[in-house]
Amino acid sequence: MKVKFSDEIYNLKDELTQIKEKYEDKYEELMREVEEKCVRQVYSSGGLMLHRGFYCPSSLDKVCGANRGKIISRKPKQGYIYYFDEKEQLIYVEKREKDYEPDREFLFYEKNEVYSVVFNCDPRWITIHLVTKCVYNPLLTDYIALFPGCEEVNDHGELDIETYEYAGEKILKANLDYYFFNQKEHYTQEFEF
């Protein structure tokens, strides 16, 4: 069903689009920073259906049955390599899949928010195909993912928003909203745990 999106949704899309624009020319610089800051690597296999695999911020794997994968001791042929800095913050993720160039994700921390940009590293072009924002208070309350469209106009792309409600540290409810800008369509789902 076609709907009119609120200004809040467009503002959120614009915020993440600005993050994309800030970093889209900085791939080489970001790689150098990771090399300088990384003090520890962790490996995982499996979990390829989830963004960030074992360390995926979303909890919806609990309702859709997706596998997060498992931590392993050796660098995987298929799976993830996680890079941590001296503060034990995850700063970089490399996703390896057979027959595909790796996806490379860089994470940025600001107070109670964590942003990331994911580069598709095809040798012909290196582009950002996903931008995320996580809000913690102190548990994850909002997980937002922007899948930018190919064209640089405001009405292309997809925005997914997960919001969580808790009782103590236990998730009670998760709401998932999908916004498709080109089609002007919105879908919503609610999950109870």
Side-chain angles (χ1 to χ4, degrees):
M1 175 170 81
K2 298 217 183 256
V3 295
K4 184 175 183 337
F5 299 148
S6 69
D7 288 342
E8 180 183 357
I9 295 304
Y10 274 108
N11 290 341
L12 192 52
K13 181 179 185 285
D14 290 344
E15 175 189 357
L16 296 183
T17 299
Q18 288 172 13
I19 297 292
K20 174 188 177 281
E21 291 169 354
K22 178 179 178 179
Y23 292 108
E24 63 191 347
D25 300 0
K26 305 231 181 329
Y27 174 77
E28 297 295 332
E29 180 182 324
L30 292 169
M31 283 302 300
R32 281 192 300 275
E33 285 180 22
V34 166
E35 290 168 8
E36 291 170 9
K37 293 179 180 178
C38 177
V39 297
R40 181 172 73 93
Q41 292 180 4
V42 173
Y43 311 118
S44 77
S45 64
L48 295 173
M49 295 298 293
L50 292 175
H51 165 235
R52 221 177 283 160
F54 187 81
Y55 291 105
C56 181
S58 172
S59 291
L60 291 182
D61 60 307
K62 295 174 183 171
V63 292
C64 69
N67 180 346
R68 284 186 171 268
K70 63 181 180 179
I71 299 297
I72 58 175
S73 59
R74 281 188 263 168
K75 196 176 281 192
K77 290 182 181 175
Q78 283 199 118
Y80 292 88
I81 304 172
Y82 304 101
Y83 291 67
F84 292 86
D85 66 10
E86 63 186 15
K87 298 177 188 173
E88 283 298 307
Q89 290 181 322
L90 181 62
I91 57 171
Y92 172 75
V93 179
E94 184 174 297
K95 178 182 181 182
R96 296 175 169 207
E97 283 187 88
K98 185 179 178 184
D99 301 327
Y100 292 98
E101 293 297 323
D103 278 352
R104 294 187 165 109
E105 179 176 13
F106 300 88
L107 291 89
F108 313 97
Y109 294 80
E110 294 181 16
K111 298 179 185 172
N112 66 328
E113 298 174 343
V114 181
Y115 294 88
S116 79
V117 292
V118 181
F119 286 86
N120 175 343
C121 294
D122 186 297
R124 296 168 291 171
W125 62 82
I126 295 177
T127 58
I128 294 175
H129 68 90
L130 175 63
V131 181
T132 71
K133 175 183 179 180
C134 294
V135 180
Y136 295 90
N137 287 319
L139 301 171
L140 179 69
T141 57
D142 300 281
Y143 170 57
I144 303 148
L146 173 68
F147 301 88
C150 298
E151 299 176 37
E152 293 297 324
V153 295
N154 202 36
D155 284 343
H156 286 76
E158 175 186 340
L159 187 70
D160 297 348
I161 303 173
E162 296 176 20
T163 55
Y164 294 93
E165 296 176 26
Y166 297 87
E169 293 191 12
K170 182 182 185 292
I171 299 173
L172 291 180
K173 191 188 302 185
N175 292 307
L176 178 55
D177 290 284
Y178 302 95
Y179 297 90
F180 298 94
F181 290 91
N182 189 35
Q183 298 89 352
K184 302 280 191 285
E185 292 179 345
H186 169 236
Y187 301 95
T188 190
Q189 290 181 290
E190 184 177 294
F191 302 97
E192 293 189 6
F193 293 84

